[in-house]
Amino acid sequence: MALTFRQLRYFVVLSEELHFGRAAQRLHISQPPLSASLRLLEDELGVKLLLRNSKRVVLTPAGEAFQRQARRILEQLEESQNLVQRIASTATGLVRFGFTPAMLFRGLPELFRLLQSRYPGIEIQLIERNSADQVEAVMQEQLDIGFIHSMPLPEGIDSVTLTDEPFVCCLPAHHQLAARRSLAVRELASEPVILFGRDLAPHYYDRIISLFHHVDVEPQICHEVSHWLTILALVANGMGIALVPQSLAKSGFSNVSFVPLTDATTRHQSHCIWLRDTDSHQEIRNLLLDCLKEQHRERNGAFDQDGARE
C-alpha cells in the first residue's frame, strides 16, 4: 500500500493536537477512521509514530522526524495546486506570433498545438514576416513573440535557440549529382546558384557565400529570391541548385534531392525572440518556453535556454 496525502494530512493534524478527539474534530471526522489511518501509516512505515496512554499522546523520535517531512510534502502539494490554478486562470488572451514559412518544418505547428491543448484560453494569431521585419515588429510591440532565422539582434531583444543544423545541397532530382551520398562545396563551382538577395537577408547571404569562398570557389549566382520555399520551388523546376538548412528536407517538395555537404564550415540557427523588460504576456511566454523544452527533450534531449543574444 502506498502512502496517501490523506494519511499525511491526518497525521500532521494529530501530531499538532496530540489529542485524538480534537484532531478528529479539526478534520471533521470521527475518531475511529483517524485511529485506523494512523495504524495503516505506521504499518506501512514499519515504525511507531505516536505513543499514547490514558493520559497523553506523544510523538516518538521517528514521529517528530516524519512530522517535518509530512508538513514539507503537504506544503509543496499546496504550492503546486496554487500554481496550476493560477496558470489556468491567467493563461488567457491573444498572442501575436511572427514566423517565417520555413519554421513550419521546424516543429512550429506541433508546438502551437501543444500550447493550446494545455492552455486553451490562449488565442494564437500567426503573422508571416521575414526575420528582419519580425525583429522590428517585436521592438515596436507589434509582435509579442517571433520565430526567426539567425541574425544580429539589437539591444533589448532576448532569444533562445530553436535549431542548430547543417546546410545541405538542394538539387533537381534529375541532376547528375542528386544521387550522391555526399558532396563537397567545391564540386558546385560551375553550378547556377539560387540565393537570397543580400539587401533582404545580408546575414544569410554572407553566410552562404562564405561556404563557397572558404574553398576558393566564386558562386555563380543566377537568381535572388526572398523565401526559402521559393528557392526550393525554383530548384524543383530545374532553375539551379541551392545550399539550404537541413530541416527543409521535410518540406515535401517533389523533384528535389537533398545531399549532405562534407566541407560546410557554418551552420544554420533559428531563434525564438521577445522584447526584454516587458510584462506583456510574460506568463504565456514562460508557458511557451516550457512547451519548447519538452518538445526539444523528446526530439534532441537538450534545449539551449540561456537567453543569449546573437
Side-chain angles (χ1 to χ4, degrees):
M1 183 191 71
L3 301 182
T4 67
F5 287 113
R6 176 178 292 180
Q7 287 177 314
L8 296 181
R9 188 163 63 90
Y10 282 9
F11 171 73
V12 167
V13 172
L14 183 56
S15 69
E16 292 170 349
E17 295 292 342
L18 294 177
H19 188 283
F20 278 80
R22 291 195 300 270
Q25 187 175 11
R26 271 182 61 185
L27 293 166
H28 304 291
I29 61 174
S30 61
Q31 288 191 42
L34 180 59
S35 298
S37 176
L38 177 64
R39 285 195 301 271
L40 290 172
L41 182 60
E42 290 179 329
D43 289 345
E44 179 68 19
L45 295 174
V47 298
K48 293 292 290 183
L49 299 174
L50 290 172
L51 296 175
R52 56 176 168 170
N53 54 35
S54 58
K55 295 183 178 180
R56 64 175 187 157
V57 178
V58 296
L59 287 166
T60 66
E64 291 177 353
F66 190 70
Q67 180 196 53
R68 292 191 293 272
Q69 295 299 319
R71 279 176 173 164
R72 186 175 306 164
I73 292 170
L74 292 174
E75 287 171 359
Q76 290 174 343
L77 174 63
E78 183 178 2
E79 290 173 1
S80 298
Q81 290 174 329
N82 290 338
L83 175 62
V84 170
Q85 291 168 356
R86 180 170 58 84
I87 288 175
S89 63
T90 60
T92 59
L94 174 67
V95 186
R96 301 161 298 176
F97 290 95
F99 75 104
T100 64
M103 292 296 171
L104 298 176
F105 310 111
R106 296 187 175 95
L108 199 60
E110 295 86 349
L111 173 65
F112 288 144
R113 284 197 292 269
L114 177 61
L115 183 67
Q116 286 199 299
S117 68
R118 293 188 174 177
Y119 312 105
I122 298 175
E123 182 181 353
I124 291 173
Q125 180 182 13
L126 298 180
I127 303 171
E128 180 184 340
R129 295 190 181 183
N130 66 41
S131 296
D133 287 347
Q134 284 188 61
V135 172
E136 180 64 24
V138 169
M139 290 292 293
Q140 299 298 324
E141 299 190 58
Q142 298 169 352
L143 288 177
D144 302 303
I145 294 173
F147 291 89
I148 68 168
H149 302 295
S150 180
M151 60 179 292
L153 296 177
E155 183 66 31
I157 294 286
D158 277 341
S159 70
V160 293
T161 300
L162 298 176
T163 62
D164 183 357
E165 56 188 315
F167 283 95
V168 298
C169 185
C170 179
L171 307 108
H174 57 76
H175 195 285
Q176 61 181 354
L177 299 176
R180 293 276 296 275
R181 298 186 64 179
S182 63
L183 286 170
V185 175
R186 62 178 58 89
E187 295 181 79
L188 306 173
S190 61
E191 298 292 336
V193 176
I194 305 168
L195 187 57
F196 281 105
R198 193 179 190 284
D199 58 337
L200 180 67
H203 183 66
Y204 266 98
Y205 182 95
D206 293 344
R207 180 169 287 192
I208 292 175
I209 292 296
S210 73
L211 289 172
F212 288 95
H213 287 176
H214 184 75
V215 294
D216 298 321
V217 170
E218 190 63 39
Q220 307 301 307
I221 301 174
C222 61
H223 305 294
E224 294 187 355
V225 299
S226 58
H227 291 288
W228 286 113
L229 298 187
T230 306
I231 290 176
L232 297 187
L234 290 176
V235 172
N237 283 278
M239 304 294 288
I241 65 99
L243 303 188
V244 304
Q246 186 180 53
S247 61
L248 290 184
K250 303 173 184 177
S251 62
F253 267 81
S254 58
N255 300 323
V256 295
S257 294
F258 299 89
V259 182
L261 296 168
T262 59
D263 54 351
T265 55
T266 189
R267 295 171 66 86
H268 175 283
Q269 290 86 33
S270 58
H271 301 278
C272 173
I273 64 169
W274 62 89
L275 186 63
R276 188 187 308 158
D277 300 329
T278 177
D279 294 330
S280 176
H281 298 301
Q282 181 178 357
E283 190 90 43
I284 294 176
R285 184 173 66 242
N286 291 338
L287 299 178
L288 175 74
L289 292 177
D290 287 341
C291 291
L292 273 173
K293 286 190 287 185
E294 179 176 332
Q295 191 178 54
H296 275 250
R297 279 196 301 268
E298 293 176 354
R299 293 182 175 186
N300 311 314
F303 181 69
D304 177 13
Q305 189 185 347
D306 56 9
R309 292 172 54 244
E310 283 286 311

